Amino acid sequence: MGHPASPLLLLLLLLRPAASSPCLQVPTAAPAELDLANKSHHCVELDWGIFHQQSRLNLSRNGIDALSPSSRVAPELEELDLSHNGLRELPATFLARARGLRGLRLQHNRLRALPDAFFANATALQTLWLDGNPLAAVPSSAFQASLRSLAVPCRCDAVGSVLTPCACPQPSCRELQCLCYSDHQLTLNVTDFHAQQCRSSVGLVAGVAGAAVGVAVLLAVVAVLGYRRRKVATAGAGWGKREPSVAHGQPRYISRASETGTAEAATTAPDYENVFVSPCAAPAAAQGWTPGWQEESPQVPTDGDYFLESDAAPGEQPIYANTQNPNDDIYIVPNQ
C-alpha cells in the first residue's frame, strides 16, 4: 500500500528555508588584525560570536543594520571600526568588557541615542568618532581621562552636550580635541561652531518666546478691560432711567410701577410712564405704595391740576396716560 502523504512531505522538505548563513565569513585561523570592510552588501543582524582574539577589527561598509543582543567587545580588542553602516542602536552592554579599547569609529550610521553609561568601562578610550549620526547628545561617560580626540556631528544639540567638557581648563584635559563634521565634511571646532551657529538660534528662540508672552499679556489686559466695561454697563442699567431716543424722536419711558416687580415685568413694561391725572390718590396708595413721580417731584401739590409734557415736537407723538380705572386709557394728542 502506498503512502499518499509522501509527495506532500517531500514538497515541504524542499520548501524548508535553509539555515541562515552569517553575514561575514571569518577564516578559521583569523589574524589578530582582521579587515572585513566592504564584504557584505546588507546584513540584517551581525552575529558577534564569530570574532575571537582580534586586536583590530574593521567592519565598515557592510550594510549592517544591527548587532546581536549578546554582542560584547573582547578585552583584547584595541581598535574597532563600524563606520558607514546602518546601525540604529547598539546593545547597552556592548562595551561592558572593553577595557582595552583605544579607538572606536561609529561615524555615518543612524544612531540617535546611546545609553548614559555606554562608555563607562571603556577606560582606555582615546579616540571616538560619532559624526554623521542624528545623535542629539553624547553620553557623559564618553569623557574618560584617557580621551584625546572626539568627533561629533555639527548639530547644536550634540555640540551643546560636549561644550563644557571640551572646554575643560584643567591641565589633564587640555589635550582633548573636540571637532564637529558637517554634512559637507567641513571640520570645525565645537566652540567656534557653537558661537557662530547656535547662539543666534538661542537668541531667536528667546525673542520669539518673549514676543509670544507679550502678546498673551496684551490679550489678557484687553479681556479684563472688556469685562470691566461690560460689568459697569450692566451695573449702570436700571428702572426709571431714560433710554436713548427712538427713530421718531420721542424719548421712551419705563413704567415706575415695575420697580417693585419681577424681572418678567421688565419685558412687558410699556414705553411710557404711568401717572394719575386727577387730584385723587392712586389706587395703589392704599397698599402703602407711593408713585415714583410723587417721590421724585415732591414740589407738586397733591390737590392741583396736572399736565403731561412731552419732549417730542407738537403733533409728532401722542402722549399716553392711565386713569384711575386701569381699564380706561386717555390719549392726549397735542394741539387737539
Side-chain angles (χ1 to χ4, degrees):
M1 183 174 179
H3 300 281
S6 298
L8 180 59
L9 179 60
L10 180 60
L11 181 60
L12 292 175
L13 291 175
L14 292 175
L15 295 178
R16 185 180 65 180
S20 58
S21 57
C23 300
L24 301 173
Q25 299 294 330
V26 179
T28 304
E33 297 184 6
L34 185 60
D35 187 359
L36 295 177
N38 204 16
K39 299 296 183 180
S40 172
H41 296 291
H42 186 214
C43 179
V44 177
E45 183 178 285
L46 178 64
D47 181 14
W48 201 262
I50 61 177
F51 305 115
H52 303 283
Q53 304 297 320
Q54 274 74 43
S55 61
R56 296 177 184 271
L57 184 58
N58 186 357
L59 300 175
S60 63
R61 303 180 187 275
N62 281 306
I64 303 172
D65 291 339
L67 302 180
S68 58
S70 60
S71 299
R72 303 287 188 278
V73 170
E76 298 83 10
L77 189 61
E78 299 178 359
E79 299 286 340
L80 175 60
D81 190 348
L82 282 169
S83 63
H84 296 276
N85 283 293
L87 295 170
R88 297 179 181 272
E89 60 181 2
L90 294 172
T93 58
F94 183 58
L95 301 180
R97 299 186 300 162
R99 53 181 177 270
L101 189 64
R102 295 185 298 174
L104 178 59
R105 291 178 173 268
L106 294 173
Q107 70 266 32
H108 296 286
N109 279 280
R110 300 178 182 178
L111 298 172
R112 294 185 176 274
L114 291 172
D116 292 338
F118 186 73
F119 301 98
N121 295 325
T123 55
L125 191 62
Q126 296 180 2
T127 59
L128 177 60
W129 299 72
L130 296 172
D131 55 289
N133 287 284
L135 197 63
V138 177
S140 58
S141 60
F143 295 93
Q144 300 286 344
S146 58
L147 191 63
R148 295 293 178 266
S149 178
L150 174 65
V152 297
C154 284
R155 295 166 47 110
C156 289
D157 48 4
V159 170
S161 68
V162 304
L163 198 62
T164 300
C166 286
C168 177
Q170 301 296 330
S172 59
C173 57
R174 285 181 180 176
E175 298 180 5
L176 178 59
Q177 183 181 33
C178 298
L179 302 175
C180 75
Y181 289 81
S182 67
D183 295 336
H184 304 289
Q185 291 301 305
L186 296 177
T187 306
L188 298 171
N189 183 279
V190 293
T191 304
D192 297 337
F193 173 80
H194 189 270
Q196 297 173 8
Q197 302 294 331
C198 302
R199 290 182 180 176
S200 58
S201 301
V202 173
L204 179 60
V205 171
V208 172
V213 172
V215 171
V217 172
L218 180 60
L219 292 177
V221 171
V222 171
V224 170
L225 292 178
Y227 171 75
R228 289 184 176 179
R229 281 189 174 184
R230 290 193 299 270
K231 188 174 181 181
V232 171
T234 304
W239 293 108
K241 294 192 178 291
R242 199 164 178 168
E243 297 183 356
S245 299
V246 294
H248 52 68
Q250 174 69 18
R252 298 176 61 192
Y253 298 86
I254 298 175
S255 175
R256 297 183 185 276
S258 300
E259 291 181 356
T260 58
T262 62
E264 183 180 357
T267 59
T268 60
D271 291 338
Y272 55 86
E273 184 173 3
N274 291 332
V275 297
F276 298 94
V277 296
S278 72
C280 301
Q287 287 111 11
W289 177 80
T290 302
W293 63 273
Q294 291 185 5
E295 294 178 355
E296 294 183 3
S297 304
Q299 72 278 9
V300 179
T302 57
D303 56 352
D305 295 331
Y306 307 106
F307 301 91
L308 297 178
E309 295 182 359
S310 172
D311 292 338
E316 182 177 354
Q317 178 70 21
I319 300 174
Y320 307 96
N322 290 344
T323 62
Q324 284 184 322
N325 188 351
N327 296 323
D328 295 333
D329 293 339
I330 296 177
Y331 299 86
I332 303 174
V333 180
N335 299 330
Q336 293 185 11

